[in-house]
Amino acid sequence: MTSDLARLARRIRPGMTVALPVDYAGVSMAMTRPLIDNGAGDLHLICVPTGGLQVDQLIGAGLVRRVETSAVSLGEAGGAPRFNAAVKAGRIEILDATCPAIHAGLMAAQKGVPFVPMRGLIGSDVLARRPDWRVIDNPFAAAGDPIVLIPALCPDVAIFHVPMADRSGNVWIGRRRELAAMAYAATETIVTAERIVEDDLLADETTAAGTLPALYVTAVAEAPRGAWPYGLWGAYPTDTDALKRYAAAARTEDGFAAYMGSEVAA
Amino acid sequence: MTSDLARLARRIRPGMTVALPVDYAGVSMAMTRPLIDNGAGDLHLICVPTGGLQVDQLIGAGLVRRVETSAVSLGEAGGAPRFNAAVKAGRIEILDATCPAIHAGLMAAQKGVPFVPMRGLIGSDVLARRPDWRVIDNPFAAAGDPIVLIPALCPDVAIFHVPMADRSGNVWIGRRRELAAMAYAATETIVTAERIVEDDLLADETTAAGTLPALYVTAVAEAPRGAWPYGLWGAYPTDTDALKRYAAAARTEDGFAAYMGSEVAA
Amino acid sequence: MSPALPREILIHTIAGLLDGVRHVAVGASSPIPAAGAMLRRALDEAAREVRLSILGSVRHNFFTNGSAELFDSAAQGRLDAFFLGGGQIDGQANVNLVGTGDYPKVDVRWPGSFGSAYLYFTVPKVILFREEHSPRVMVDKVDFISAPGTSPPGVYRPGGPVALLTSRCLFGFDRARPGFTLASLHPGQTLDDVRQATGFGFAHDPAPPTTPGPDAATLRLMRGRILEELAETYPAFAADWARDLAAHAPEGATA
Amino acid sequence: MSPALPREILIHTIAGLLDGVRHVAVGASSPIPAAGAMLRRALDEAAREVRLSILGSVRHNFFTNGSAELFDSAAQGRLDAFFLGGGQIDGQANVNLVGTGDYPKVDVRWPGSFGSAYLYFTVPKVILFREEHSPRVMVDKVDFISAPGTSPPGVYRPGGPVALLTSRCLFGFDRARPGFTLASLHPGQTLDDVRQATGFGFAHDPAPPTTPGPDAATLRLMRGRILEELAETYPAFAADWARDLAAHAPEGATA
């Protein structure tokens, strides 16, 4: 398994744009250490739509140049210590967004259009700090009607964890459709799965309904409990104690290094 | 069952915009006769993204003022006779579209935006004949880059047929996600189902993945073989002979009337 | 029965603010808003269905289209109420979930704006809920506007703030003025307490009323069914509430 | 083995046009393009995977996001080849799927443009396939442009027509000129036959080559495995093909 994950990690090259899912949607924590060992840095992370432990650890490991996100936190375990420190020190560039703007950018990529419009945002500093977004006057309105245009977000790679995959590379994402949205938008998609099943997930209409087809999946590897310490819906809950242990340790750079040298490698 | 369907049909009032699905996605043929009996006319039909037998019969019954569609046909059984006759006679207004433009308009409604952009179309008569669509210059491009904007399609009602529904009004649509797109975009959604099941479709992650939640469903009624003569995926195939019988009969207005007076009422 | 606890006043007040809603969403770590919504649902169940979405929950998730569906449902007018907090909230109802000091190299960094810059515009009843009511939270002007409290004419905005609920009081919000109006003081709070704890000006009666607590029947409902429902999703908070109840129980009623 | 039948020439030609594709989609009522794609898949299977989507089919549908997914996959560059027919096709490769005469009250109404006005722009290899090759189909100028053959500079267009295959011949398409060039005549056709049947002008060699048929091994593959695969989705067409084969079988080889 470890060598499989290392093989997957080697697809990541310096400077790539990498899309990662929200805590509860299937974070491939199993890939975090292989990504760090692989060492490709200067990454642009896109959190879909928010980030947590994995993002914090990649930042702590020095692999991240820029984070585009609606939030980064450890949820019940508090703020994301390495993220917060890096932002305050100006060591990473932060592109603050709002959840539906991330979804909108991925949707634009999915549809092959340069932008999609989005309501809200006007008058916020989120918008004021995003020179890459535009405001136009809605061409369909009689009177003035400003509306924001969000440009397409085109990740080089999406990485996530799912409950199961089949031998053909179809992966079951259930109702976590944001994982499909990430894969549609991304050039490549790397998936870890709790288990590899022998049945064809597309052969049965019930499982097909929750399946992302192999057309979008570049590589799959088995990784039991691959979301830990995050939970995986229908499989296991979040290990909040583990998140808190990390949160406490990673308050300092040394604490982070010590934690990564022990707990994660174990 | 018949009175249930009549109750559903009474939700349709004259002048409404009604979204109907493509042949193979779950056409509620069971609702066709109740809709005709209900008599609300002056309808604006939106075919998602193409129409067939149901559209042809509603047109033949004189209930339709306007059809917005990428195509209307009876598939293997040939052209749609009442549609073709009505278009040629100018008795209905036709808004010719292309499949992804219909999807784009529904997506705009789903996202609550006045329009979404779409590639293609430029130089076609499809675009030339749609003064309700706009072409703008992509504001993100350095040089000129014309792109079409498709306005939101907001149906008053969506009507379709599914394999199962539960007692809470959740309906299982499997991988026919265009049915969800129709429901998101529509104010009301009327669903017929092959069977009503006792289990909560959302309680199990496997069925939940293919379920449209009751939040979007206004009314449900049971209608076994409710797509006939169309097929329903995983349940029964299209009855092409029945389609051909209709196609032959409906070549003339009288033939259509005779057919509707006999076969469908039976 | 012992009198209503402070958190019970909050839960009951939220249920009142949610009067008439059909669908309310609450964040994953928001037990008090969730309890308020559960109470609303219980109070209305004879008359109509109140739907409650708890973000990130599997059990209280009736969405099936990923995390975008919450925002889409708001866009479609299918989400009536939502809660927003904020590291800073100012007198114009601007909220800041990003940080203090000069952006981007802020002095204190909070997680980020989440969906606020969208939902604040599109959800008709946004309830600002922040228990800490101090001058560092209730500021004259936020350092970063995650989402503005009001918008100029011509900006599409079917939604916005209707109230600000804190551990001290309840404010209403007047979008036209714009500004907050003190609606009621929680038991034990004075107008002066609130003035000193608040960094922004607000309108008020000379003698503001006290926030009403639940009647006995409602309190029984809260301590019975609502506490039980809440425990499924927020076990730690529910246990804490139960401990509080045991500590405040009248003599002889303790086990 | 009997020589290649006309439909076998078409299937084999399509397989040749699909050389190098990873994903090809065909319409629900397109057995010949489907057979061509199945042949391509079989020929390439040792080297790489060729995916085939048959629209409206349950069995050959590996999409799970409704009928929009085909178009999205084209938008993403994940669909390499597609087939378009047309009630009229003109010398600029404009296609008309809507009708003849003055729009909208046309003289003859066809079903409509389907996805042509999008896929013609976005799919790199669009193969125009229409068996009927007559002056009423191959016109100088279509009455309605469902989708234009070419676009002016500045219009986003990664896709477009690469060939026009009919019962008489194969044309290539030159986007720069723009116009068709006769690539080959099917067995039994002359340049003059094609000229008379074609309402538009086209470039050609003085003596155009004959469309090559499949070699013996390929023909065996087509009449065995491909015919069998095709029968699952197009039983009527497959039965017809099998009847043709039986009728043309050499003496002594019939049962």
Side-chain angles (χ1 to χ4, degrees), chain B residues 231-249:
Chain B
L232 187 64
W233 73 95
Y236 44 90
T238 295
D239 180 351
T240 305
D241 288 343
L243 286 175
K244 285 181 176 163
R245 273 200 305 279
Y246 172 79

Short mmCIF file of all heavy atoms in Angstrom, two decimals, chain B residues 231-249:
data_model
loop_
_atom_site.label_atom_id
_atom_site.label_comp_id
_atom_site.label_asym_id
_atom_site.label_seq_id
_atom_site.Cartn_x
_atom_site.Cartn_y
_atom_site.Cartn_z
N GLY B 231 -39.62 3.45 -21.89
CA GLY B 231 -39.06 2.55 -20.89
C GLY B 231 -38.63 3.32 -19.66
O GLY B 231 -38.65 4.56 -19.63
N LEU B 232 -38.27 2.56 -18.65
CA LEU B 232 -37.70 3.16 -17.45
C LEU B 232 -36.45 2.35 -17.12
O LEU B 232 -36.52 1.13 -17.02
CB LEU B 232 -38.70 3.12 -16.30
CG LEU B 232 -38.26 3.88 -15.05
CD1 LEU B 232 -38.14 5.37 -15.33
CD2 LEU B 232 -39.24 3.64 -13.91
N TRP B 233 -35.32 3.05 -16.98
CA TRP B 233 -34.05 2.36 -16.80
C TRP B 233 -34.14 1.38 -15.62
O TRP B 233 -34.68 1.71 -14.57
CB TRP B 233 -32.91 3.37 -16.60
CG TRP B 233 -32.94 4.03 -15.27
CD1 TRP B 233 -32.24 3.67 -14.16
CD2 TRP B 233 -33.72 5.17 -14.89
NE1 TRP B 233 -32.54 4.51 -13.13
CE2 TRP B 233 -33.43 5.43 -13.54
CE3 TRP B 233 -34.63 6.00 -15.56
CZ2 TRP B 233 -34.03 6.48 -12.85
CZ3 TRP B 233 -35.22 7.04 -14.87
CH2 TRP B 233 -34.92 7.27 -13.54
N GLY B 234 -33.61 0.20 -15.85
CA GLY B 234 -33.60 -0.82 -14.80
C GLY B 234 -34.95 -1.46 -14.57
O GLY B 234 -35.07 -2.36 -13.75
N ALA B 235 -35.99 -1.02 -15.29
CA ALA B 235 -37.32 -1.56 -15.02
C ALA B 235 -37.92 -2.22 -16.26
O ALA B 235 -38.18 -3.42 -16.26
CB ALA B 235 -38.24 -0.46 -14.50
N TYR B 236 -38.13 -1.48 -17.31
CA TYR B 236 -38.71 -2.06 -18.53
C TYR B 236 -38.23 -1.25 -19.73
O TYR B 236 -37.90 -0.07 -19.61
CB TYR B 236 -40.24 -2.10 -18.48
CG TYR B 236 -40.90 -0.84 -17.95
CD1 TYR B 236 -41.26 0.20 -18.79
CD2 TYR B 236 -41.16 -0.70 -16.58
CE1 TYR B 236 -41.87 1.35 -18.30
CE2 TYR B 236 -41.76 0.45 -16.07
CZ TYR B 236 -42.11 1.47 -16.93
OH TYR B 236 -42.70 2.60 -16.44
N PRO B 237 -38.18 -1.93 -20.90
CA PRO B 237 -37.66 -1.25 -22.10
C PRO B 237 -38.77 -0.45 -22.79
O PRO B 237 -39.95 -0.59 -22.46
CB PRO B 237 -37.21 -2.40 -22.99
CG PRO B 237 -38.16 -3.51 -22.63
CD PRO B 237 -38.49 -3.34 -21.17
N THR B 238 -38.37 0.39 -23.72
CA THR B 238 -39.32 1.14 -24.53
C THR B 238 -40.14 0.18 -25.39
O THR B 238 -39.61 -0.79 -25.92
CB THR B 238 -38.56 2.14 -25.42
OG1 THR B 238 -37.94 3.09 -24.57
CG2 THR B 238 -39.50 2.86 -26.38
N ASP B 239 -41.42 0.46 -25.51
CA ASP B 239 -42.32 -0.33 -26.35
C ASP B 239 -42.38 0.36 -27.72
O ASP B 239 -43.27 1.17 -27.99
CB ASP B 239 -43.69 -0.37 -25.66
CG ASP B 239 -44.72 -1.18 -26.46
OD1 ASP B 239 -44.43 -1.56 -27.61
OD2 ASP B 239 -45.81 -1.42 -25.89
N THR B 240 -41.40 0.02 -28.55
CA THR B 240 -41.26 0.72 -29.84
C THR B 240 -42.47 0.48 -30.73
O THR B 240 -42.87 1.38 -31.50
CB THR B 240 -39.96 0.28 -30.54
OG1 THR B 240 -38.87 0.52 -29.63
CG2 THR B 240 -39.71 1.08 -31.80
N ASP B 241 -43.06 -0.70 -30.63
CA ASP B 241 -44.26 -0.96 -31.44
C ASP B 241 -45.38 0.02 -31.09
O ASP B 241 -46.07 0.51 -31.98
CB ASP B 241 -44.75 -2.40 -31.22
CG ASP B 241 -43.82 -3.41 -31.88
OD1 ASP B 241 -43.02 -2.98 -32.76
OD2 ASP B 241 -43.86 -4.59 -31.51
N ALA B 242 -45.55 0.28 -29.80
CA ALA B 242 -46.60 1.23 -29.39
C ALA B 242 -46.30 2.62 -29.94
O ALA B 242 -47.20 3.34 -30.38
CB ALA B 242 -46.73 1.25 -27.87
N LEU B 243 -45.03 3.00 -29.89
CA LEU B 243 -44.65 4.31 -30.44
C LEU B 243 -44.95 4.37 -31.93
O LEU B 243 -45.42 5.39 -32.44
CB LEU B 243 -43.16 4.58 -30.20
CG LEU B 243 -42.73 4.93 -28.77
CD1 LEU B 243 -41.21 5.04 -28.68
CD2 LEU B 243 -43.37 6.26 -28.34
N LYS B 244 -44.68 3.26 -32.61
CA LYS B 244 -44.93 3.23 -34.06
C LYS B 244 -46.42 3.29 -34.35
O LYS B 244 -46.84 3.92 -35.33
CB LYS B 244 -44.30 1.97 -34.68
CG LYS B 244 -42.78 2.07 -34.78
CD LYS B 244 -42.15 0.84 -35.42
CE LYS B 244 -40.64 1.03 -35.59
NZ LYS B 244 -39.94 -0.24 -35.80
N ARG B 245 -47.22 2.61 -33.53
CA ARG B 245 -48.69 2.68 -33.71
C ARG B 245 -49.15 4.13 -33.59
O ARG B 245 -49.92 4.63 -34.39
CB ARG B 245 -49.40 1.85 -32.63
CG ARG B 245 -49.58 0.39 -32.99
CD ARG B 245 -50.69 -0.28 -32.15
NE ARG B 245 -50.51 -0.16 -30.72
CZ ARG B 245 -49.72 -0.93 -29.98
NH1 ARG B 245 -48.99 -1.90 -30.54
NH2 ARG B 245 -49.62 -0.76 -28.68
N TYR B 246 -48.62 4.81 -32.57
CA TYR B 246 -48.98 6.22 -32.39
C TYR B 246 -48.52 7.04 -33.59
O TYR B 246 -49.28 7.85 -34.14
CB TYR B 246 -48.37 6.78 -31.11
CG TYR B 246 -48.57 8.28 -31.01
CD1 TYR B 246 -49.79 8.82 -30.60
CD2 TYR B 246 -47.55 9.17 -31.38
CE1 TYR B 246 -49.99 10.19 -30.55
CE2 TYR B 246 -47.73 10.54 -31.33
CZ TYR B 246 -48.95 11.04 -30.91
OH TYR B 246 -49.16 12.39 -30.87
N ALA B 247 -47.27 6.83 -33.99
CA ALA B 247 -46.71 7.62 -35.10
C ALA B 247 -47.57 7.48 -36.35
O ALA B 247 -47.83 8.47 -37.05
CB ALA B 247 -45.27 7.18 -35.37
N ALA B 248 -48.04 6.27 -36.61
CA ALA B 248 -48.86 6.03 -37.79
C ALA B 248 -50.22 6.71 -37.64
O ALA B 248 -50.69 7.39 -38.54
CB ALA B 248 -49.03 4.52 -38.01
N ALA B 249 -50.82 6.55 -36.48
CA ALA B 249 -52.16 7.10 -36.25
C ALA B 249 -52.14 8.62 -36.29
O ALA B 249 -53.04 9.26 -36.87
CB ALA B 249 -52.71 6.61 -34.92
#
